[in-house]
Amino acid sequence: MKQYQSWLAEYLVSRRDGDHAMSAALAESISEFWQARGDQAEHAKWQKVYREHCQQAV
C-alpha cells in the first residue's frame, strides 16, 4: 500500500504540473497495482485515467 500511496502522490504532482506523459506512466502503474490485487473497479478507473493522459500527451 505504501507503493500505491507513493505513486498516487507523484501522480497528483505530475497532473498539477501538466505533465501528461508522466501522469500516464503513473496511472498505468496504479492500474497494474489494482489489477494484481484483484480490484477490477479500481483497475478500470485507472485504465480510463491512463488512456485520457495518453491522448493529451501527444
Side-chain angles (χ1 to χ4, degrees), residues 11-46:
Y11 169 76
L12 293 173
V13 169
S14 64
R15 184 174 170 200
R16 178 199 68 200
D17 293 345
D19 187 345
H20 292 290
M22 177 64 85
S23 296
L26 290 163
E28 184 177 34
S29 295
I30 293 169
S31 173
E32 291 170 357
F33 172 89
W34 287 115
Q35 184 178 33
R37 278 147 188 82
D39 189 327
Q40 289 304 313
E42 284 294 315
H43 170 67
K45 177 179 97 175
W46 284 100

